[in-house]
Amino acid sequence: GVELQLGDPGGESPSSAPLGLPSGPVRVVRLLSHVELRMVAPQGKATVDSTAPSRPWRIKCEGPMVVDPVRLVATFSNSVEVHRPAESNSWDSLKCQQLALRFRRRVGGPRGRARPVGGEALEFVELQAAGAPVQVGSSAKDLEARADSLAYGADRGTIELRGNVTARWEQGRLVSEHVRLSRGSDGRIERALCRGAGMMTWQQPGTPPVPVRAKWSQKMTLAPEPGTDQDLVVLEGKPTIRC
């Protein structure tokens, strides 16, 4: 089912037509349950796959989807699943209980694509997810992570995980309370910031591989080391490393 909330053309208060029916612009659109949505998100500078625009995001939920055309926010509830196209025809996935997508208006649109009346198009800006817990994964990078909440900024290509964060990738593990990840131009994780106490383990190359365990009490940062093709990891607050 679908519900429409209409407003008065001259103000925020609702009005009624002579027949007793509401009139005016649409203020809220509510799809009642079991919603499936496909959304084509514009390419950003941090996106890997140049073919991604031809493969839409897939979003579904068991509860309602509510669209606010004034604030340009769409919210999904109950058993929400998101599948985002990634490189090599693979998908990144997200599962949560509450999801909000925020958009903005921009004048014009990509060439060759139909434009709405008035020449305005919508541009995806931000995703926010919450649940118990939020689960994310990438089959291409063999990555899985869990947290209490997640925020993704499309412009900056940043991902923030908050609350009881645990992540696993290939042969590495990470535990922290707050993790911020930034992608580089090739789409890979280029920078990372972990706030608060945390722990990370990984396998050093060798025969056999050498397990390494690092702990800290304040902060951990990962960033490219200037002048080299290596990454620099800095641990702050009683750092310990065991091999």
Side-chain angles (χ1 to χ4, degrees), residues 67-91:
V67 179
D68 185 333
V70 178
R71 296 172 53 238
L72 300 180
V73 175
T75 59
F76 303 77
S77 301
N78 301 336
S79 300
V80 184
E81 294 186 14
V82 181
H83 296 276
R84 171 186 176 273
E87 68 273 24
S88 304
N89 292 321
S90 62
W91 297 86

Side-chain angles (χ1 to χ4, degrees), residues 158-178:
T158 58
I159 302 172
E160 286 201 38
L161 301 164
R162 295 177 179 268
N164 300 309
V165 181
T166 61
R168 179 200 63 79
W169 66 95
E170 296 178 340
Q171 299 188 25
R173 301 289 188 276
L174 172 69
V175 176
S176 183
E177 279 300 310
H178 180 194

Side-chain angles (χ1 to χ4, degrees), residues 27-97:
R27 297 301 186 191
V28 176
V29 179
R30 179 184 174 91
L31 307 181
L32 299 186
S33 66
H34 294 88
V35 180
E36 294 187 16
L37 172 70
R38 293 192 176 190
M39 178 185 77
V40 176
Q43 281 284 75
K45 63 181 181 179
T47 308
V48 184
D49 189 357
S50 60
T51 65
S54 63
R55 301 167 59 210
W57 289 35
R58 300 174 182 174
I59 306 174
K60 65 179 182 179
C61 64
E62 293 184 2
M65 169 187 172
V66 180
V67 179
D68 185 333
V70 178
R71 296 172 53 238
L72 300 180
V73 175
T75 59
F76 303 77
S77 301
N78 301 336
S79 300
V80 184
E81 294 186 14
V82 181
H83 296 276
R84 171 186 176 273
E87 68 273 24
S88 304
N89 292 321
S90 62
W91 297 86
D92 294 339
S93 64
L94 180 149
K95 295 182 180 180
C96 61
Q97 292 300 314

Side-chain angles (χ1 to χ4, degrees), residues 9 27 39 41 52 60 76 84 123-124 133-134 159 179 190 200 203 216 219-220 225 232 236:
R27 297 301 186 191
M39 178 185 77
K60 65 179 182 179
F76 303 77
R84 171 186 176 273
E123 187 174 30
F124 172 60
V134 175
I159 302 172
V179 178
E190 184 179 65
M200 183 168 60
Q203 299 282 345
W216 60 91
K219 182 171 67 173
M220 185 276 283
E225 186 177 25
L232 178 64
E236 297 183 21

